[in-house]
């Protein structure tokens, strides 16, 4: 907040090259979404496609889709990215998070044959009046913190997180799969969530060197 | 509106993962429409999803996939941006409004048990839990019950109390198989709640006739 976005990126670059590459990539994806929204930029869209399409196909496969079905679902998700790019708000999500929510909703529709409320809950928050560039950098740094917190989760927490997000298992089914009590599933999820929230809370107090 | 009872972190993760059934999702989303704290938490839970998808090993796509994608772009117009939705519509949280075809004041309630009226809401897959509004007269106690799955209750008007506390408008009671309870509507006014379950309830009463009207829940 209030920092010069260019300085923020420069500080990150000085910090750790691998990390800064991830932040820069995340910023680039958000800019691609903006270019798709503003002028239907196909090249920008295909930059997103080349990165996200193979991962979304994996995501659909993990939920039980056949390879052909997974590719269809992935294409539908990417097409929704194209259609809805104007709804992407860099103040509310990184490109990866926004694309995840689109893919998740399609997966629910098609694999579970279930519906879910269609209102975009995140959109209820009025965006900060900050300019788009600053919001984009903030979101990219935030995504980077979450990525590192998720990567650092202890194995038993990472396992329940994966079973929930990837395999799409409700808590009782995770408990049955791992042969652990339901309460243990929930406490592991809670601990994992606390770590991620803790990493984000650090952010608001300034980026430690 | 000061909200004191929220869905658990695990329930928000389930919502972000897409593993809650439709009825439970509607109750959580309705709470989210009213609760800034939980919207912040949901964002973090969705950030986890974004980070996980980024970290997935890429699948090999079939040859010609790029061209097929480009061809579909030609046939697909982009949507214009829209104004953010309002958190409420017709006096109820917006996610609920999409399931409710009347105002809360003109719901055609149906008698369920003495002091309890209900109004079922239609979900895509019946038989996978229930979603309904309950209107409970002041001071009325529901039979003590336990849960085989989840039960989410969002207070819309009035208040109720159970073993865990007092629930006022905007509060969400997040119950699962580890906890039974006996909700009692507070004495001052009718309590109107939105309730979803994903498995039938188990009643703990020695008087089966008291539980009978609730067996469909
Ligand atoms: Zn809340």
């Amino acid at each position: 907040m209030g920092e010069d976005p260019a300085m923020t990126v420069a500080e990150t670059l000085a910090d750790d090259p691998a990390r800064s590459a991830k932040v820069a990539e995340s910023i680039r994806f958000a800019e691609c979404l903006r270019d798709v929204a503003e002028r239907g930029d196909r090249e920008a869209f295909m930059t997103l496609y080349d990165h996200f399409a193979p991962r979304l196909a994996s995501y659909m496969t993990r939920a039980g889709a056949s390879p052909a079905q997974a590719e269809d679902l992935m294409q539908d998700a990417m097409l929704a990215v194209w259609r809805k790019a104007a709804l992407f708000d860099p103040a509310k999500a990184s490109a990866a998070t926004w694309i995840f929510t689109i893919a998740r909703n399609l997966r629910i529709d098609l694999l579970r044959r279930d519906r879910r409320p269609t209102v975009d809950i995140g959109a209820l928050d009025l965006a900060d009046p900050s300019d788009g560039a600053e919001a984009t950098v903030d979101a990219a740094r935030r995504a980077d913190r979450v990525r590192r917190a998720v990567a650092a989760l202890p194995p038993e927490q990472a396992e329940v997180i994966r079973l929930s997000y990837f395999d799409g298992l409700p808590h009782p089914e995770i408990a049955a799969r791992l042969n652990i009590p339901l309460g243990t599933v929930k406490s592991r999820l809670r601990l994992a969530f606390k770590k991620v929230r803790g990493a984000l809370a650090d952010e608001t107090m300034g980026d430690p060197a | 509106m000061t909200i004191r009872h929220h869905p658990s972190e695990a329930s928000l993760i389930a919502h972000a993962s897409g593993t809650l059934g439709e009825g439970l999702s509607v109750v959580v989303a309705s709470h989210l429409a009213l609760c800034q704290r939980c919207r912040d938490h949901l964002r973090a839970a969705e950030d986890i999803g974004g980070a996980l998808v980024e970290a997935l090993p890429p699948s090999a796509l079939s040859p010609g996939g790029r061209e097929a994608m480009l061809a579909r772009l030609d046939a697909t117009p982009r949507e214009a941006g829209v104004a953010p939705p309002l958190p409420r519509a017709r006096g109820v949280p917006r996610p609920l409004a999409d399931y409710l075809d009347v105002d809360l004041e003109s719901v055609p309630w149906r008698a369920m048990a003495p002091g309890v009226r209900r109004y079922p809401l239609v979900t895509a897959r019946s038989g996978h839990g229930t979603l309904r509004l309950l209107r409970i007269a002041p001071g009325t106690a529901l039979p003590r019950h336990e849960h085989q799955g989840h039960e989410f209750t969002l207070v819309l008007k009035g208040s109720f109390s159970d073993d865990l506390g007092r629930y006022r408008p905007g509060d969400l009671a997040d119950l699962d198989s580890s906890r039974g309870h006996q909700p009692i509507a507070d004495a001052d006014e009718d309590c109107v709640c939105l309730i979803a379950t994903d498995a039938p309830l188990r009643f703990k009463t020695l008087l089966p006739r008291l539980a009978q009207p609730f067996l469909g829940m």
Side-chain angles (χ1 to χ4, degrees):
Chain A
M1 293 293 155
E3 293 167 278
D4 175 10
M7 267 310 290
T8 313
V9 177
E11 282 162 21
T12 311
L13 287 168
D15 184 15
D16 170 356
R19 188 182 157 199
S20 66
K22 277 305 224 180
V23 172
E25 183 184 62
S26 177
I27 293 170
R28 189 159 57 92
F29 292 148
E31 289 168 349
C32 286
L33 281 171
R34 182 201 60 202
D35 292 345
V36 170
E38 285 180 0
R39 52 172 196 272
D41 187 327
R42 293 159 63 97
E43 202 178 315
F45 178 81
M46 292 314 283
T47 300
L48 295 168
Y49 178 90
D50 288 337
H51 180 77
F52 287 104
R55 290 172 172 82
L56 292 185
S58 301
Y59 172 68
M60 299 303 182
T61 308
R62 285 291 299 262
S66 68
Q69 206 179 13
E71 215 165 315
D72 282 351
L73 281 165
M74 171 279 284
Q75 270 217 7
D76 290 346
M78 289 307 299
L79 204 62
V81 169
W82 170 259
R83 278 202 337 264
K84 296 172 187 288
L87 300 178
F88 171 70
D89 182 348
K92 288 168 193 152
S94 68
T97 294
W98 188 69
I99 291 172
F100 159 73
T101 60
I102 284 181
R104 173 202 63 196
N105 292 354
L106 272 173
R107 197 176 84 162
I108 295 169
D109 287 349
L110 294 166
L111 292 181
R112 287 168 58 102
R113 287 182 199 78
D114 218 350
R115 282 193 307 164
R116 70 185 258 136
T118 50
V119 180
D120 179 7
I121 292 296
L124 296 174
D125 292 316
L126 294 176
D128 290 340
S130 66
D131 73 293
E134 189 179 326
T136 301
V137 173
D138 284 347
R141 296 177 42 163
R142 192 185 149 95
D144 177 61
R145 286 186 173 267
V146 172
R147 184 162 46 231
R148 288 183 302 142
V150 168
L153 289 176
E156 75 277 5
Q157 290 171 27
E159 184 175 45
V160 291
I161 285 280
R162 279 198 304 270
L163 288 170
S164 183
Y165 283 87
F166 286 157
D167 298 69
L169 297 183
H171 301 155
E173 290 180 32
I174 296 177
R177 172 83 65 95
L178 299 179
N179 199 22
I180 56 177
L182 180 62
T184 307
V185 172
K186 293 193 176 199
S187 64
R188 285 180 187 174
L189 288 171
R190 186 176 65 243
L191 288 171
F193 188 61
K194 254 179 105 168
K195 292 213 172 85
V196 171
R197 296 257 317 143
L200 289 172
D202 291 345
E203 177 182 42
T204 60
M205 290 184 284
D207 206 359
Chain B
M1 185 185 299
T2 306
I3 297 178
R4 291 177 206 282
H5 298 276
H6 306 271
S8 70
E9 294 94 334
S11 293
L12 285 173
I13 283 179
H15 189 65
S17 304
T19 66
L20 291 179
E22 182 181 1
L24 295 172
S25 292
V26 172
V27 183
V28 173
S30 297
H31 174 82
L32 286 163
L34 306 174
C35 185
Q36 173 71 56
R37 168 195 182 272
C38 286
R39 286 204 295 278
D40 288 345
H41 285 202
L42 181 72
R43 180 177 170 187
E46 291 184 337
D47 279 335
I48 294 174
L52 287 168
V53 166
E54 282 264 294
L56 273 173
S59 290
L61 302 178
S62 54
R66 267 184 128 253
E67 287 64 36
M69 188 81 242
L70 281 163
R72 287 185 79 184
L73 297 188
D74 291 332
T76 308
R78 287 169 300 116
E79 294 169 12
V82 293
L86 293 171
R88 286 174 175 272
R90 288 183 277 115
V92 295
R94 178 60 204 279
L96 168 58
D98 292 346
Y99 284 80
L100 191 59
D101 39 18
V102 292
D103 287 359
L104 204 53
E105 280 63 41
S106 38
V107 168
W109 297 101
R110 304 168 193 179
M112 183 173 185
V116 185
R117 287 177 283 178
R118 70 185 168 94
Y119 183 67
L121 302 174
V122 176
T123 52
R125 285 203 310 180
S126 52
H128 286 263
T130 63
L131 177 66
R132 63 179 47 164
L133 293 169
L134 280 194
R135 179 169 179 165
I136 310 162
T140 305
L142 300 186
R144 172 166 290 281
H145 60 271
E146 291 181 347
H147 311 95
Q148 299 183 70
H150 284 101
E151 178 191 78
F152 292 163
T153 304
L154 177 71
V155 179
L156 301 171
K157 283 181 71 170
S159 61
F160 76 86
S161 299
D162 69 7
D163 328 43
L164 300 165
R166 184 168 184 208
Y167 297 81
R168 296 178 179 82
D171 284 333
L172 185 148
D174 180 341
L175 278 297
D176 67 18
S177 55
S178 67
R179 280 206 183 122
H181 69 157
Q182 179 172 35
I184 303 174
D186 290 328
D188 33 359
E189 59 174 318
D190 281 4
C191 179
V192 178
C193 309
L194 174 66
I195 302 183
T197 59
D198 61 359
L201 306 182
R202 261 199 297 255
F203 291 94
K204 300 293 284 180
T205 171
L206 296 174
L207 295 168
R209 68 183 170 79
L210 289 182
Q212 192 61 40
F214 298 93
L215 286 180
M217 285 188 73

